[in-house]
Amino acid sequence: RQYQRRVHGVAESLPKRQVALGKLLPIQRADFTAMLTLMKGRPVTIRLLDPPLHEFVPHDVNGPEAEQIAKNLGVPWDRVKRRIESLKEENPMLGHRGCRLGITYPEIYDMQVRAIFEATCEVKKAGNPVAPPEVMIPLVGKVEELKILKVNAIKMAEIVMQEQKIKFDYKIGTMIEVPRACVTADEIATEAEFFSFGTNDLTQMGCGFSRDDAGTFLGEYVQKGVYEKDPFVAIDQSGIGELVRMAVRKGRSVKPNLKIGICGEHGGEPSSVKFFHTVPLSYVSCSPFRVPIAMLAAAHAAIEEMM
C-alpha cells in the first residue's frame, strides 16, 4: 500500500498516477466496507488524506525503492531522483498537504471518495444497516477550497450511484485546523455539513509551535509558568480555545444545528473535555485507549453543569 502511494507521488503524468491509485482503490474500499459493516448503522466520519506530499516519496533517493519505482514507471532513475528532490519541502506540515493535495492532485481524493461510496453500496447490498458516510476534507482555510472539493465529491457520488444502481445519502464536512478557518467559519459553514476541530494542528498554527520541535522547550515553559500545561496535551483555553469558541459561534450563526466535534489527543484529556462541553461541542473523538477517560470527563462536566 505504501509502495503504491510512493509510485503515485513520484509519477509525473496523470495516467501513471491513476494506475497506482487503481491498485489502491480495492484496498481502501475493503477497509471502508469493513469499517461501515462493523459500525452497524452508527455514524462514521472518514477524513480524506492529510499527510504532506513528502511522505509519499522514497526517503532515500539512492535506495533500492527509488530504483524499483523508476523501473515500474519506465523512466530513467536520474529522472525519478530529480522528481523526488523537487517534491521536498522545508516545512512540510505547513506545505503541500490536506485539501491542497486534493486540489492539485484531484485524482487522490476522487479515489478515496469513490472507495467510501462503493463501500457504502456494498454494505447496503449486503442488507446491513449503514449511516450516511461523513466525508471530512482536511486543512481547509478558505471556503473556496471546500467548494472545489465538494463539487468533485458530489460528482463522484453521482457516478457511483449510477454505476451501482443504488441510492445513498452522505455528508461532506471539514476539519477546522487553520486559524483562518476559525475566523471565517461562517463562510465555510455555507458549504460544510459538519465541522471537526483538529486541535493538534490548530495549536501548532495558532501558537506558532512546531509539534516536531516544541518538545525541546515546552517543558521549561510549563515549569516557568508560561503555560499551565503543555498546549499539545491540554487545550490552551484562553488562546486556541477562544478560536474554537469563535468558530462554533460563527458556524452555528449560519447553521444553528451544525454538528461540531473535535478529534485528536485533546479529545481524551479531562480538562480539555470539560472545556469543550462548555463551548459546546457535539462530541469528542480520541484514540481508543483514551475513550474511558473521555467518557468519565464528559460525565463530570455534565454533572457539574447541573449543580
Side-chain angles (χ1 to χ4, degrees):
R1 185 182 308 197
Q2 181 67 19
Y3 178 76
Q4 292 302 327
R5 287 174 179 168
R6 287 180 172 167
V7 171
H8 175 276
V10 171
E12 294 179 291
S13 70
L14 177 59
K16 289 181 178 179
R17 293 198 297 270
Q18 287 176 326
V19 169
L21 290 171
K23 294 177 181 179
L24 284 172
L25 174 62
I27 300 171
Q28 290 262 272
R29 183 173 58 238
D31 287 343
F32 298 143
T33 299
M35 190 186 308
L36 295 171
T37 300
L38 184 65
M39 291 300 286
K40 298 179 179 178
R42 297 180 183 88
V44 176
T45 303
I46 301 173
R47 178 180 65 176
L48 300 184
L49 196 67
D50 186 36
L53 185 62
H54 82 281
E55 292 191 16
F56 301 98
V57 298
H59 298 300
D60 182 4
V61 295
N62 296 307
E65 187 177 28
E67 186 176 349
Q68 184 60 47
I69 288 174
K71 289 180 180 178
N72 287 353
L73 292 173
V75 297
W77 173 78
D78 284 347
R79 185 170 169 182
V80 169
K81 182 179 179 179
R82 287 195 300 271
R83 173 69 169 165
I84 292 171
E85 290 174 342
S86 73
L87 295 174
K88 287 183 178 179
E89 297 179 291
E90 293 298 326
N91 194 344
M93 294 308 292
L94 294 179
H96 203 175
R97 55 174 288 220
C99 67
R100 301 159 192 169
L101 265 180
I103 289 173
T104 56
Y105 295 97
E107 66 274 7
I108 298 177
Y109 278 10
D110 285 349
M111 180 277 291
Q112 286 197 293
V113 171
R114 173 182 278 277
I116 293 168
F117 292 155
E118 288 182 352
T120 302
C121 292
E122 286 193 13
V123 176
K124 286 178 73 76
K125 287 180 178 180
N128 295 316
V130 57
E134 300 178 359
V135 179
M136 186 160 69
I137 297 171
L139 216 71
V140 166
K142 209 165 186 294
V143 68
E144 284 77 9
E145 293 171 317
L146 181 57
K147 282 181 180 179
I148 292 170
L149 296 172
K150 182 179 178 181
V151 166
N152 292 350
I154 291 171
K155 286 179 181 178
M156 185 55 67
E158 292 170 351
I159 290 171
V160 171
M161 282 191 266
Q162 186 174 16
E163 291 175 350
Q164 300 289 327
K165 311 297 183 188
I166 190 170
K167 296 284 186 180
F168 54 84
D169 295 320
Y170 58 92
K171 296 179 180 180
I172 299 173
T174 185
M175 290 193 78
I176 303 293
E177 307 166 88
V178 179
R180 191 184 193 284
C182 296
V183 177
T184 61
D186 49 344
E187 297 176 10
I188 293 173
T190 62
E191 296 292 333
E193 294 178 87
F194 62 89
F195 286 172
S196 181
F197 288 99
T199 52
N200 293 335
D201 271 307
L202 188 58
T203 296
Q204 175 171 242
M205 296 185 206
C207 292
F209 295 147
S210 164
R211 271 188 293 172
D212 297 326
D213 304 315
T216 60
F217 62 85
L218 278 180
E220 189 166 350
Y221 262 42
V222 173
Q223 288 177 6
K224 294 184 176 179
V226 178
Y227 283 90
E228 184 178 348
K229 297 180 179 179
D230 183 332
F232 288 109
V233 174
I235 193 76
D236 165 34
Q237 296 184 21
S238 62
I240 304 306
E242 285 304 304
L243 288 175
V244 171
R245 287 189 188 276
M246 178 195 299
V248 170
R249 183 175 67 252
K250 282 176 167 281
R252 287 183 175 152
S253 72
V254 175
K255 294 179 178 176
N257 296 319
L258 187 66
K259 179 180 176 182
I260 306 178
I262 171 263
C263 58
E265 294 310 297
H266 288 125
E269 195 280 320
S271 66
S272 302
V273 172
K274 289 183 180 181
F275 169 77
F276 295 134
H277 180 77
T278 68
V279 172
L281 299 187
S282 309
Y283 69 91
V284 297
S285 172
C286 58
S287 55
F289 77 93
R290 286 180 175 264
V291 169
I293 299 172
M295 292 176 68
L296 186 60
H300 283 170
I303 292 170
E304 290 173 5
E305 186 179 48
M306 296 168 61
M307 295 176 66

